[in-house]
Amino acid sequence: MNGIKIKGTGRCVPAKIVTNGDLAKVVETSDEWITSRTGIRHRHHCTEETHESLCLGAAKAALEKAGIAPEDIGACVVATVTAQSIVPSAACLLQRDLGLPHDIPCFDLNAACTGFLFALHTMECLLAASPRKYGLVVGCDTLSRVTNWEDRGTCILFGDGAGACVVEYREGWPSISAELGTHGSSELLSLPGLETGKRGVIAMEGTKVFKFAVEAVPYCMDRVLEKTGMTAADVDFFVFHQANARIIDLVVRKYRIPPEKYYKNIAEYGNTSAASIPLVLSELQDLEKVGPGSRALVVGFGGGLTWGGALVEFA
Ligand code: UT7
């Protein structure tokens, strides 16, 4: 078996903090409603920052943490639905800004909030075929730019940010055993693109997506555990996409996961889409809740619809 492990993580979020109270001045809502229904207290929104600067900040931090030079990177994948230009892609801008090698693939990948998991799996496949053994995987979204500020059901949820991982591929290391899924549908969650002739905004049937999520997360967990022959007790840490604290609470109750084995940062960042999972991974590494040898079961779900899980080890 051959596979990747996480060597270093990094993150970058905009300086501006938007509180629930700030949003109560824009739409009819309250801190009490948002906190009790979602667990979100703040989110960060871009002002001076750009999608490019967030990707760069997170990627630089991950390279530094991993102790890897840009010239050793063999592929770069950015998971995003909000790149500032379609061409050049966010990954191409990173290639230029970081001075990554020219003879490597750099591209963006869209699987909405599951994007980081799709990108990790893609990276494992890319590195298997590369003479270079390190890869850069970034999740970045600036959803504040595509939020419908007249829809209180969605505008309170989203934040901007970026997280990144430098991964290492080695023969003999276990695969991350990704289990990924897709059900094409624009009914529950959509972000229109070019066909509308104008910049689109997010529309979501929140309650239906909630129901999808509470089924998708256990489904992904069970598939990954089955594939790897592990039980929940073998996992050191559970990392969930941060869409709603209530979704995480339901899952940890179902699997009886103790508080020291999972983490929520949704109160601080809201739902940051593709950045959500790497933001958690980066905070966990900085807090030393995970370290070399730690095994994290990572689960995501979101627009597309898409879902996925993987068992990721830290190098
Ligand atoms: O990352 C991609 C995946 N996304 C998700 O996983 C999101 C999943 N969905 C959710 O997190 C939740 O469904 C929401 C937080 C979006 C909504 O929570 P909910 O408990 O499903 O509320 P609801 O949409 O059923 O609305 C309940 C009530 C409604 O009022 P009525 O009809 O009962 O009078 C809404 O109009 O709450 C109202 N409401 C609000 N009230 C105050 C909706 N949004 C707000 C708001 N402030 N911001």
Side-chain angles (χ1 to χ4, degrees):
M1 256 197 315
N2 306 317
I4 53 169
K5 292 188 184 183
I6 294 175
K7 197 153 172 63
T9 58
R11 63 187 181 279
C12 185
V13 292
K16 185 183 177 191
I17 293 171
V18 178
T19 66
N20 293 344
D22 294 333
L23 291 179
K25 294 177 194 146
V26 180
V27 286
E28 201 180 325
T29 190
S30 64
D31 177 46
E32 198 282 326
W33 193 96
I34 300 172
T35 308
S36 62
R37 296 282 180 129
T38 70
I40 300 168
R41 292 185 181 279
H42 322 117
R43 65 290 289 146
H44 295 242
H45 284 178
C46 287
T47 49
E48 300 298 308
E49 303 86 352
T50 61
H51 190 284
E52 181 179 0
S53 71
L54 294 181
C55 284
L56 185 60
K60 273 186 171 168
L63 284 165
E64 197 179 315
K65 193 97 176 174
I68 297 298
E71 55 266 31
D72 291 326
I73 292 295
C76 170
V77 182
V78 178
T80 187
V81 294
T82 50
Q84 61 200 44
S85 54
I86 295 172
V87 177
S89 68
C92 288
L93 296 179
L94 259 188
Q95 185 279 326
R96 177 189 68 190
D97 295 346
L98 286 169
L100 299 178
H102 290 287
D103 58 343
I104 65 167
C106 299
F107 59 93
D108 292 359
L109 180 158
N110 168 0
C113 302
T114 326
F116 191 78
L117 272 159
F118 276 50
L120 267 187
H121 173 67
T122 303
M123 182 58 74
E124 190 167 76
C125 300
L126 288 170
L127 291 180
S130 169
R132 293 190 177 90
K133 290 305 160 206
Y134 299 104
L136 178 59
V137 186
V138 181
C140 178
D141 269 311
T142 50
L143 292 185
S144 67
R145 303 252 156 89
V146 291
T147 294
N148 178 356
W149 293 107
E150 289 172 4
D151 177 13
R152 67 178 180 170
T154 57
C155 75
I156 49 110
L157 298 171
F158 304 123
D160 302 338
C165 290
V166 171
V167 299
E168 179 177 356
Y169 176 91
R170 274 203 209 167
E171 289 180 6
W173 276 357
S175 161
I176 61 170
S177 301
E179 282 284 328
L180 308 174
T182 307
H183 174 84
S185 160
S186 54
E187 282 157 30
L188 302 192
L189 184 46
S190 63
L191 172 55
L194 296 175
E195 83 283 3
T196 60
K198 57 178 183 177
R199 202 178 73 172
V201 290
I202 297 169
M204 182 171 70
E205 296 256 11
T207 311
K208 289 182 183 162
V209 174
F210 191 100
K211 283 189 188 139
F212 151 69
V214 295
E215 285 176 13
V217 176
Y219 173 82
C220 293
M221 290 171 70
D222 290 346
R223 294 284 299 267
V224 173
L225 290 173
E226 194 185 324
K227 194 171 181 179
T228 55
M230 304 225 177
T231 66
D234 299 320
V235 174
D236 297 306
F237 224 92
F238 293 83
V239 175
F240 301 106
H241 168 46
Q242 310 278 308
N244 188 320
R246 286 191 293 137
I247 297 173
I248 299 173
D249 294 342
L250 282 168
V251 173
V252 298
R253 218 173 298 140
K254 182 179 165 107
Y255 286 83
R256 300 202 173 125
I257 299 171
E260 65 276 12
K261 280 191 157 194
Y262 70 94
Y263 188 68
K264 285 189 279 189
N265 61 11
I266 187 166
E268 173 67 26
Y269 301 119
N271 180 347
T272 55
S273 184
S276 151
I277 285 172
L279 278 176
V280 172
L281 292 170
S282 165
E283 291 197 345
L284 290 179
Q285 196 180 31
D286 282 359
L287 292 167
E288 297 183 351
K289 287 179 182 286
V290 293
S294 298
R295 268 197 296 245
L297 180 45
V298 183
V299 186
F301 56 88
L305 299 168
T306 53
W307 56 90
L311 194 68
V312 184
E313 267 190 49
F314 283 75

